[in-house]
Amino acid sequence: MNKLIKNTQYDLVKNDNGYYRHLQLQQDNNEKKKMNQFEGFSDIDMLFWYIHQQKHLDKSKENSKRTKTEYTRELKQFISHLLKYGQEMQLDIEVDMSESILKHIESRHLRKYQEWLATSSPYIKAGRSYSPATLSRKTTILKSFFTFLYESKYTLHNAAAGLKIASVRKDDRPNKDLGPVEVQRILDGLLEVDLRYYTMVLTLVTTGLRNEELCNLTMGNIKQDTIIGGYYFEVVGKGNKKRDVPIKRSVLDKIINYRAAYYLSSLHESKEEDPVFVTRNGKKYTPSYLAQALKKVIHEKLSHLHIQNNVTIHSFRHAYAIISHLNKVDVYDIMRSLGHEKIDTTMIYLQKVIDRSNNAIYSWNDNVLGSHLQ
């Protein structure tokens, strides 16, 4: 049986150092023999190497576990779909099952898969649809992987060339904008029904933390600032990039009060590894669980507030950027505070509110139409 089929459930996220060293040794031997470095690699070997390849001497700069998980999930789904629905997609791939499948994938196969995914996959037949952002992400991962296979000379075909462009336009992005008035309504409502989620939302709004960053916070990440004063979170974000995120003293006090209310250890009596926020069972939150739980709380317990349906945990990161902009904070300071590498990413958060606030009508003199504007 083909190793790729046999190992579709293989835990590719787990960095098996023994397996990695074995592949590295195989590459070294190939180099000594003046052979292609991936000679003798199987499909599963290429998948594992692609996800775990070490490019930096400093391992903290490698892809995060979150990124590896995302790439593994997408590539496993692609393989699973390929094997289960290949005939439905009319992929015309006929190979001996003991051989490589990846080596036989050409441009037309990826094009047909991409079209099937967006129009005829089980997800679509169930009455749902992929957002432009989701299709763009899936396309990006496939393009990156098959470009890697081609540039590594594992495949003879540049299959990635068959993928259609799936870029996301500004208008395609869901509206996640929350201003200070809506945020205050949500905070007021949560304070009455659930202290735990009130404290977490207040922390998100006043720090701009990502969902995963909040879930990973430990008491050891709360540091006293001996230079400027106050406290800050020591955060490890996307790409294992570290940044210091100041905490307003009033917010830190509310975190301390939350922990006292749920009989959790205090700031100075905690172990460094203790999570700052825990579930009702005392366990660390996972990003997916927190996202679902918070959305449920907002749209069920706060239904009387008629909060917009598309409010998600990420909306509060947008709110941090928007409230900062409304308070005249420089956009580059907002970018750095959010941990963005490019100003373009920050502008996605701010573009709609900037466009509205820069509308020509706000420059009109109230006397321009006489009493009609007074």
Side-chain angles (χ1 to χ4, degrees):
M1 179 180 289
N2 181 278
K3 286 185 179 181
L4 189 58
I5 301 172
K6 185 179 179 181
N7 291 288
T8 48
Q9 300 304 314
Y10 186 83
D11 186 5
L12 291 170
V13 179
K14 182 180 178 181
N15 191 353
D16 185 333
N17 288 324
Y19 185 18
Y20 189 89
R21 286 194 297 270
H22 165 72
L23 295 179
Q24 183 69 77
L25 181 61
Q26 190 170 343
Q27 283 193 351
D28 291 346
N29 289 333
N30 287 339
E31 182 179 332
K32 291 177 184 177
K33 297 176 183 179
K34 309 300 180 184
M35 300 165 63
N36 178 277
Q37 67 178 125
F38 294 105
E39 185 70 30
F41 275 50
S42 66
D43 286 354
I44 196 70
D45 292 340
M46 295 303 291
L47 276 164
F48 185 87
W49 186 266
Y50 171 73
I51 291 168
H52 292 288
Q53 57 184 316
Q54 297 172 8
K55 299 179 179 179
H56 301 275
L57 190 60
D58 183 352
K59 291 184 179 181
S60 67
K61 295 180 180 178
E62 301 293 355
N63 286 336
S64 66
K65 184 176 180 181
R66 179 175 181 267
T67 299
K68 293 177 181 179
T69 300
E70 181 179 12
Y71 274 56
T72 299
R73 182 179 61 248
E74 291 300 336
L75 292 173
K76 275 188 175 182
Q77 184 186 69
F78 166 72
I79 293 164
S80 176
H81 284 163
L82 191 75
L83 300 172
K84 191 173 183 179
Y85 303 104
Q87 289 186 337
E88 181 181 318
M89 296 180 227
Q90 299 180 334
L91 294 186
D92 63 79
I93 300 177
E94 297 180 5
V95 298
D96 185 326
M97 297 307 280
S98 64
E99 297 178 357
S100 164
I101 291 178
L102 295 178
K103 288 182 179 180
H104 289 80
I105 295 177
E106 301 182 20
S107 295
R108 67 183 182 282
H109 301 134
L110 286 191
R111 187 194 74 246
K112 289 180 179 180
Y113 173 75
Q114 188 185 35
E115 292 171 347
W116 172 85
L117 190 68
T119 61
S120 307
S121 61
Y123 188 82
I124 302 301
K125 289 179 178 178
R128 295 172 289 186
S129 63
Y130 289 117
S131 69
T134 298
L135 289 174
S136 177
R137 173 175 52 78
K138 290 176 177 292
T139 298
T140 297
I141 292 174
L142 285 176
K143 183 175 182 179
S144 174
F145 178 57
F146 279 94
T147 298
F148 159 73
L149 294 179
Y150 177 66
E151 291 180 348
S152 301
K153 298 181 180 179
Y154 185 74
T155 62
L156 299 176
H157 316 285
N158 184 12
L163 291 166
K164 295 182 178 179
I165 296 173
S167 58
V168 183
R169 300 175 302 172
K170 179 180 69 173
D171 294 341
D172 289 332
R173 298 184 184 278
N175 182 14
K176 296 180 180 179
D177 293 350
L178 288 176
V181 174
E182 284 183 297
V183 168
Q184 185 167 341
R185 289 174 64 229
I186 292 172
L187 287 171
D188 289 344
L190 287 175
L191 185 57
E192 293 183 3
V193 301
D194 200 305
L195 178 62
R196 184 189 316 270
Y197 289 108
Y198 163 77
T199 310
M200 285 192 283
V201 168
L202 181 64
T203 303
L204 288 167
V205 169
T206 56
T207 60
L209 291 177
R210 298 178 177 92
N211 178 4
E212 185 175 18
E213 293 169 347
L214 184 81
C215 291
N216 288 336
L217 282 180
T218 67
M219 297 303 289
N221 293 138
I222 301 177
K223 305 291 186 180
Q224 187 167 11
D225 193 327
T226 58
I227 300 176
I228 300 176
Y231 289 81
Y232 63 90
F233 289 129
E234 189 177 68
V235 173
V236 178
K238 278 188 176 181
N240 292 315
K241 293 181 176 62
K242 296 180 180 180
R243 72 183 192 281
D244 297 336
V245 180
I247 319 167
K248 281 186 169 293
R249 182 67 221 199
S250 57
V251 175
L252 180 59
D253 288 342
K254 288 180 172 60
I255 292 175
I256 293 171
N257 292 340
Y258 144 76
R259 292 185 63 83
Y262 286 94
Y263 304 101
L264 301 171
S265 54
S266 66
L267 178 61
H268 299 296
E269 295 177 351
S270 302
K271 296 179 181 178
E272 287 210 348
E273 63 272 18
D274 288 346
V276 174
F277 299 104
V278 295
T279 66
R280 295 188 185 280
N281 295 325
K283 297 181 179 180
K284 172 185 172 181
Y285 278 97
T286 64
S288 59
Y289 177 79
L290 179 57
Q292 294 171 8
L294 181 56
K295 188 171 185 177
K296 183 177 181 181
V297 168
I298 290 175
H299 295 297
E300 289 185 4
K301 293 188 178 183
L302 303 185
S303 59
H304 61 287
L305 297 180
H306 305 292
I307 304 298
Q308 54 179 298
N309 290 330
N310 56 355
V311 170
T312 67
I313 194 167
H314 195 64
S315 299
F316 300 109
R317 185 164 157 86
H318 280 242
Y320 172 86
I322 290 169
I323 294 171
S324 297
H325 169 74
L326 295 176
N327 280 273
K328 311 299 182 184
V329 179
D330 182 82
V331 67
Y332 284 95
D333 288 336
I334 298 174
M335 177 191 77
R336 286 186 285 268
S337 299
L338 289 169
H340 288 158
E341 289 188 346
K342 297 179 180 179
I343 195 68
D344 293 350
T345 308
T346 310
M347 288 304 296
I348 291 172
Y349 290 33
L350 297 173
Q351 194 61 60
K352 290 180 180 178
V353 69
I354 288 176
D355 287 347
R356 287 199 297 272
S357 61
N358 288 344
N359 191 285
I361 192 67
Y362 294 115
S363 297
W364 285 22
N365 188 300
D366 287 344
N367 297 321
V368 69
L369 295 179
S371 61
H372 297 287
L373 292 183
Q374 297 177 1

